[in-house]
Amino acid sequence: MYLQPEDLERGARGEHIAVVTRNIDNVRQAIAEAQAEVESYLTARYDIRAEFAQSGDSRLPMVVKLVRDIALYNCFNI
């Protein structure tokens, strides 16, 4: 998985995420859906699968931000 649940805490408080998602499976689902959405938009122009194979500090900050923001949106819409 490109993002880890802990990565979401850079965009929202962990307590808030825990309350609105209720369990870690919902968080992982929100991240997976966000990653799929970003991939669908960027795959035609960029080698986004290579980016999604990265982890830690080797990830591009802007892509991390996009996936994180969409994942947070998904979490708050559960």
Side-chain angles (χ1 to χ4, degrees), residues 44-56:
R45 181 166 258 202
Y46 303 102
D47 186 11
I48 197 65
R49 290 184 184 181
E51 172 61 22
F52 285 156
Q54 303 295 322
S55 64

Side-chain angles (χ1 to χ4, degrees), residues 2 7-8 10 15 25-26 37 39-40 42 44-45 56 72 74:
Y2 185 67
D7 289 324
L8 298 183
R10 297 205 61 193
E15 312 89 70
D25 291 333
N26 289 338
E37 184 174 347
E39 184 175 352
S40 73
L42 299 181
R45 181 166 258 202
L72 286 170
N74 292 343

Side-chain angles (χ1 to χ4, degrees), residues 11-27:
R13 291 184 178 253
E15 312 89 70
H16 295 159
I17 296 168
V19 168
V20 298
T21 59
R22 296 190 179 99
N23 65 56
I24 194 68
D25 291 333
N26 289 338
V27 174

Side-chain angles (χ1 to χ4, degrees), residues 1-3 10 24-25 31 33 35 39-40 45 47 55 58 63 69 71 73 78:
M1 188 181 313
Y2 185 67
L3 284 186
R10 297 205 61 193
I24 194 68
D25 291 333
I31 292 171
E33 290 172 1
Q35 183 174 332
E39 184 175 352
S40 73
R45 181 166 258 202
D47 186 11
S55 64
S58 61
V63 177
D69 288 351
Y73 175 84
I78 290 176

